[in-house]
Amino acid sequence: MKEQQIFIGGVWRCGGGAPMQSIFPADGSVNATLNAASLSDLEEAVASGERAWRNPGWRNMLPHQRAQILHRVADLIEARLDELAQLQSRDNGKPLAETRGLVMSAAGTARYFAAACELLEGELPTPRQPHLLTFSRYEPLGVVAAITPWNSPIASEMQKVAPAIAAGNAVILKPAEATPLMALELARLFEQAGLPAGLLSVLPGKGSIIGDALARHPQVRKISFTGGTVTGRYLAHVAAEKLIPASLELGGKSPTIVLEDADIELAARGICYGIFSSGGQACIAGSRLFIQQQVYPVLMARLLELTRALRIGHPFAAGTHIGPLISAQHRQSVMEYVQLAQREGGTLLCGGEIPADPTLAAGSYFQPTIIEGLNNQTRVCQEEIFGPVLVAMPFSDEADLIRQANDSIYGLAAGIWTRDTGRALRLSEQLEAGTVWINTYKVFSVSTPFGGFKQSGLGREKGIQGLKAWMQQKSIYLATGNGMNHWCD
């Protein structure tokens, strides 16, 4: 496309770090070249953010005025829907049908937090003492760090930036090294919408260099990270050392449960979407499938039929279900897990290979894969693959099902398919997961908190709770009488 600049304190310029590239996973071509941010760029971004969020013009800006900026960003996103969707597809290879949805999701997120910041109220508790009034208010934290993944850039980036800005902070956004383009475009949108300079900087680069330095910077007052559990655990230690809050949305190995009374067609289609959309590159992907024994044969037959009919193709081709994985290196990792599953005793029912279509040879494509014959203790059932690989397991005993479903270090999401709503709700209470879908999967609402149990993370994004997570609460005591304190008499 062209050489890209990075955005530091309201200024577009060449980064001071090493050269880097954005690669189109569909054919290995170069989208853009740029220089990563340097540590001195990081220092400048933090200093600029510190000045900007303390500026009275920003700190005293009325909530509806901040909301106007977010609404303008949403308007700009919607006006450029197709252009932004194509850019997102080039950045990570997702089909246009998916990236259009992600772009519109980002616009909706901006509008939600625009409304939320106008509606946010303090609290007025009733003190148990006479002649005393107490109240509390929510105030910004200051300069905050948002570190985002490569699988859904514009959606996950707006999920952090919009509430952080609505809350009055200055944001340093560090996108994934593989997908810098959407974060930089987001900075252009906020700039066009009138966000004061310094309140948003975008610093592409290696996580081990820029991400680490950003998290450790003494003036950064919160870390919000979406990505792998190993990195998340490290960042939690950094936050603990600094005594600052951290929001961590990490890995998953989500169970999907099909009971004997489920609508087979509804379940098969939902399972297929839940694991194979995005090429399985989603933390909430339903990668472990537990099917009640009575319906195992019929459900598996329909699921295999649907999976074999999925269209693997170029992200820009009409009707494509599955585009390329993010890189050839990641595809190799997914393939090695499939080979491991076979060594562990699994039977490959479909997929497990690179597509034979010569028109796809230059991209990092991989077939949607279904494996059976494994138990939940195998590595393939315990480790996050982050690819289009589903392991199907029959069950007969409900208590054993819950034990197996919860037998994971992760607890991000789960799915239940049944016509019995009461039973579904009872099971959902026993599942150790931050989100449970019943007769649907992988649908979201920006007003509903999202996060994980166990090693799937800390804290919640979205909803009013997600706005308050970027703020700190201050309590104020006001004496309403003239009573004298006689302690020092």
Side-chain angles (χ1 to χ4, degrees):
M1 295 164 64
K2 61 180 180 179
E3 187 171 344
Q4 287 275 346
Q5 295 181 317
I6 66 175
F7 193 59
I8 305 170
V11 177
W12 292 97
R13 69 176 204 215
C14 183
M20 57 184 291
Q21 294 179 325
S22 164
I23 303 295
F24 189 22
D27 58 18
S29 61
V30 177
N31 291 324
T33 61
L34 64 154
N35 276 37
S38 66
L39 295 179
S40 62
D41 292 333
L42 169 59
E43 289 293 339
E44 184 174 339
V46 172
S48 178
E50 186 70 19
R51 291 191 300 270
W53 85 272
R54 291 184 181 278
N55 187 301
W58 176 248
R59 285 183 67 86
N60 298 331
M61 185 179 285
L62 296 175
H64 77 273
Q65 294 172 317
R66 286 184 191 160
Q68 286 173 350
I69 294 172
L70 290 169
H71 280 301
R72 285 195 290 268
V73 169
D75 290 340
L76 290 167
I77 289 174
E78 290 167 353
R80 296 176 54 196
L81 169 60
D82 288 337
E83 177 192 350
L84 293 172
Q86 288 190 32
L87 183 62
Q88 171 85 92
S89 290
R90 290 203 68 93
D91 224 7
N92 72 352
K94 284 191 174 184
L96 279 175
E98 273 195 62
T99 56
R100 285 192 182 99
L102 292 170
V103 170
M104 290 306 295
S105 169
T109 298
R111 293 200 190 282
Y112 175 83
F113 285 110
C117 80
E118 289 196 74
L119 295 173
L120 184 65
E121 297 177 344
E123 297 172 11
L124 191 67
T126 302
R128 297 187 177 183
Q129 301 178 42
H131 310 299
L132 186 67
L133 174 68
T134 64
F135 57 96
S136 67
R137 54 182 289 167
Y138 290 92
E139 299 183 353
L141 291 164
V143 178
V144 295
I147 305 174
T148 55
W150 49 258
N151 58 330
S152 300
I154 192 169
S156 57
E157 285 157 3
M158 187 64 88
Q159 211 164 281
K160 299 179 189 301
V161 173
I165 291 295
N169 301 289
V171 186
I172 312 295
L173 174 58
K174 194 298 195 178
E177 186 180 1
T179 53
L181 299 185
M182 289 310 300
L184 293 168
E185 200 61 32
L186 198 62
R188 290 188 182 91
L189 294 168
F190 271 96
E191 184 182 37
Q192 292 170 27
L195 183 71
L199 291 170
L200 177 61
S201 292
V202 178
L203 305 180
K206 289 184 177 294
S208 58
I209 299 174
I210 297 301
D212 181 65
L214 177 60
R216 290 188 172 279
H217 197 285
Q219 287 182 294
V220 168
R221 301 188 180 188
K222 173 175 173 143
I223 302 167
S224 180
F225 170 76
T226 299
T229 296
V230 172
T231 302
R233 192 182 295 115
Y234 170 77
L235 291 174
H237 281 284
V238 172
E241 289 172 1
K242 293 174 61 180
L243 289 178
I244 62 171
S247 296
L248 307 172
E249 198 257 279
L250 309 177
K253 195 69 182 177
S254 301
T256 302
I257 298 165
V258 182
L259 302 179
E260 81 279 0
D261 66 340
D263 181 317
I264 295 299
E265 185 67 14
L266 185 70
R269 289 179 176 272
I271 292 161
C272 194
Y273 174 71
I275 179 60
F276 297 131
S277 61
S278 305
Q281 299 170 121
C283 51
I284 44 84
S287 54
R288 292 185 295 149
L289 176 58
F290 296 95
I291 308 171
Q292 197 143 22
Q293 186 71 61
Q294 297 94 310
V295 293
Y296 186 89
V298 63
L299 177 63
M300 286 301 295
R302 183 56 179 145
L303 183 58
L304 283 165
E305 186 178 34
L306 289 170
T307 302
R308 289 173 178 141
L310 292 175
R311 292 181 293 275
I312 306 171
H314 194 283
F316 294 168
T320 294
H321 290 114
I322 301 178
L325 301 184
I326 187 65
S327 67
Q329 180 182 8
H330 182 59
R331 180 178 65 182
Q332 181 62 32
S333 171
V334 173
M335 188 178 299
E336 288 172 0
Y337 268 111
V338 174
Q339 294 166 351
L340 171 63
Q342 293 173 293
R343 292 197 302 273
E344 289 182 316
T347 300
L348 188 64
L349 298 182
C350 69
E353 297 178 342
I354 296 172
D357 186 345
T359 65
L360 305 179
S364 51
Y365 296 90
F366 194 74
Q367 294 177 340
T369 303
I370 299 179
I371 299 166
E372 69 174 2
L374 295 174
N375 66 62
N376 192 60
Q377 296 301 312
T378 57
R379 282 182 57 194
V380 174
C381 290
Q382 291 293 317
E383 299 176 13
E384 186 175 36
I385 299 173
F386 219 68
V389 180
L390 175 67
V391 177
M393 294 169 280
F395 75 91
S396 55
D397 180 73
E398 188 175 296
D400 185 55
L401 160 71
I402 293 298
R403 182 191 62 76
Q404 290 189 76
N406 289 335
D407 182 18
S408 171
I409 63 171
Y410 299 110
L412 192 58
I416 302 172
W417 301 88
T418 176
R419 288 185 171 93
D420 188 336
T421 303
R423 187 181 181 190
L425 290 173
R426 177 168 50 79
L427 288 174
S428 71
E429 292 175 356
Q430 299 175 69
L431 291 171
E432 296 172 352
T435 296
V436 178
W437 285 288
I438 300 173
N439 293 328
T440 187
Y441 203 89
K442 207 177 176 183
V443 295
F444 294 100
S445 167
V446 68
S447 63
T448 304
F450 178 76
F453 286 17
K454 299 187 284 188
Q455 293 190 38
S456 284
L458 297 171
R460 294 293 180 269
E461 292 187 333
K462 302 184 178 182
I464 296 296
Q465 185 177 347
L467 176 61
K468 291 179 179 179
W470 294 95
M471 309 182 84
Q472 52 195 343
Q473 194 171 13
K474 176 184 289 182
S475 296
I476 299 171
Y477 289 74
L478 172 65
T480 59
N482 295 316
M484 184 70 67
N485 188 319
H486 293 284
W487 178 83
C488 54
D489 287 352

